[in-house]
Amino acid sequence: MEARGKVVLLVDNTLATNLVMELARLQQDLVGDGWTVLRHDVARMAVDPANTSSNVWAPRSNELATIKGFIKADTTPPRLM
């Protein structure tokens, strides 16, 4: 087994309970293939991605910043002092 790197797994928290077995299997399979799985159950986006109106840009930006924060924290190497 090789160490392949990290996989950031973002799961819609409204579906996580109903998919417990499937998500566990996915994580098990990924780990078995050599991946480190970093899972986050996140809130479903309140802003419809298909809505292109400018009045939803700020809320959408906030939602995306939250997701970006998870990914950035998981993939940024620690700083050496």
Side-chain angles (χ1 to χ4, degrees):
M1 177 171 63
E2 297 180 28
R4 298 187 187 275
K6 299 177 187 177
V7 171
V8 180
L9 177 60
L10 302 171
V11 179
D12 180 335
N13 66 3
T14 63
L15 300 173
T17 303
N18 294 332
L19 297 173
V20 170
M21 298 301 291
E22 292 86 351
L23 290 167
R25 178 61 188 260
L26 173 61
Q27 286 183 246
Q28 180 183 8
D29 289 348
L30 289 168
V31 169
D33 285 342
W35 295 97
T36 298
V37 180
L38 306 169
R39 177 178 165 176
H40 301 283
D41 291 357
V42 298
R44 178 177 286 202
M45 294 183 77
V47 177
D48 178 6
N51 185 344
T52 59
S53 171
S54 62
N55 64 347
V56 298
W57 290 350
R60 179 179 293 134
S61 178
N62 292 337
E63 290 178 335
L64 294 174
T66 299
I67 299 300
K68 182 179 177 181
F70 284 123
I71 296 168
K72 191 171 183 176
D74 286 345
T75 58
T76 302
R79 295 182 123 186
L80 299 175
M81 297 281 177

